[in-house]
Amino acid sequence: MSDTRVRVEALADEFAEDARRLAAELSLPQGGDADFALQLGPLGLQCQDLEPGAGGAVRVDFVGGAAAHRRLYGGGSGQMIAKAVGIQPGVRPSILDATAGLGRDAFVLAQLGCSLTLIERQPLMAALLADGLCRGLLDADVALIIGRMRLLPGDAIGLMRAWPEEPPQVIYLDPMFPHRDKSALVKKEMRVFRALVGGDDDAPALLEAALALATHRVVVKRPRKAPCVAGATPGYALEGKSSRFDVYPKKSLKP
């Protein structure tokens, strides 16, 4: 988290005990000057940028908003991400999302019928994601989708190198592109990511570990014009308007 200061807050008295517990778990203060506040309230857990003029809070919501719109109108298995991971008639690969973030891409893939393991190494991001998953299980429309997702907080490289289970068929990576120009950080989520996570400077090691573990393919999401992650050369790429998917095939996915 570098020098970013974060405190934990309860937005109402009824959340005070949970806030104290969370602060202890994350070794964060509940007062003092801070750049961000991790807030517990009636809508769940959220991260609020405390900079003057900052936008609204960031939280994980699989039930409403953008997630609901994409679930209902997102294009199904015709989406580029679905093609990248190898979804096709009769094929729903097991997927490890080793850079889960807010879980949005994982939710899309789980909605399409894939079983997902999510790894998030930044403890605050993992807490936000865990909260969103728990709230999603309470909604009848998305509980079945959330049931296909499990979260493993921790370092993805270490976890992949010592993977104790059956290897995933596909590993999906979306490492933070190490671009420091603040003018590019348009979305409020990106400011939170940059401040809390920084750039994934170990992306080459992440890719190497993923290629060693995945049985069928590794997929790396990149900004459309960004260079490939250093290391192995992708077999091919699927390119969209703002991003692309570099695909590293190992074995064909078959029904």
Side-chain angles (χ1 to χ4, degrees):
M1 260 188 329
S2 65
D3 297 325
T4 302
R5 301 167 301 171
V6 183
R7 68 182 182 225
V8 177
E9 298 177 346
L11 296 181
D13 290 344
E14 62 193 280
F15 302 103
E17 183 56 38
D18 288 337
R20 280 192 290 270
R21 188 180 305 115
L22 182 64
E25 289 176 3
L26 298 176
S27 299
L28 293 174
Q30 287 194 264
D33 292 336
D35 303 298
F36 294 88
L38 203 57
Q39 301 171 328
L40 271 169
L43 297 179
L45 186 65
Q46 61 187 33
C47 185
Q48 177 63 57
D49 186 345
L50 299 177
E51 184 178 88
V58 173
R59 66 190 184 99
V60 176
D61 181 10
F62 295 119
V63 177
H69 187 272
R70 191 169 182 182
R71 174 167 55 88
L72 296 172
Y73 310 110
S77 58
Q79 298 173 76
M80 192 178 300
I81 189 175
K83 296 177 181 178
V85 301
I87 289 176
Q88 53 189 291
V91 176
R92 293 298 185 271
S94 60
I95 301 172
L96 169 60
D97 182 347
T99 53
L102 298 178
R104 289 174 179 164
D105 286 344
F107 182 74
V108 170
L109 296 172
Q111 177 199 336
L112 295 174
C114 298
S115 61
L116 271 292
T117 298
L118 293 76
I119 298 177
E120 176 50 51
R121 64 180 173 183
Q122 212 296 325
L124 274 67
M125 302 303 295
L128 289 168
L129 182 52
D131 178 73
L133 290 169
C134 288
R135 284 185 285 104
L137 284 173
L138 302 176
D139 184 90
D141 291 332
V142 302
L144 184 62
I145 301 171
I146 300 296
R148 301 189 189 107
M149 302 165 68
R150 64 162 182 159
L151 174 62
L152 294 179
D155 177 67
I157 295 174
L159 289 171
M160 286 192 289
R161 287 175 175 169
W163 196 253
E165 307 169 6
E166 181 177 347
Q169 293 175 296
V170 177
I171 296 180
Y172 179 79
L173 305 174
D174 183 9
M176 286 287 287
F177 187 54
H179 182 59
R180 300 291 192 260
D181 182 1
K182 291 185 179 180
S183 66
L185 308 185
V186 177
K187 295 184 178 180
K188 61 186 179 183
E189 290 91 345
M190 288 306 297
R191 173 169 158 76
V192 173
F193 268 110
R194 290 290 183 204
L196 300 183
V197 180
D200 286 321
D201 298 323
D202 56 357
L206 192 67
L207 174 59
E208 181 182 18
L211 287 168
L213 178 62
T215 60
H216 287 68
R217 71 174 62 181
V218 174
V219 178
V220 182
K221 185 178 182 180
R222 302 294 281 162
R224 185 172 66 86
K225 295 184 179 181
C228 297
V229 172
T233 302
Y236 62 95
L238 300 176
E239 190 171 301
K241 292 181 179 180
S242 61
S243 61
R244 72 170 195 274
F245 296 95
D246 292 339
V247 182
Y248 299 76
K250 298 179 68 176
K251 188 191 302 184
S252 296
L253 286 160
K254 299 178 180 178

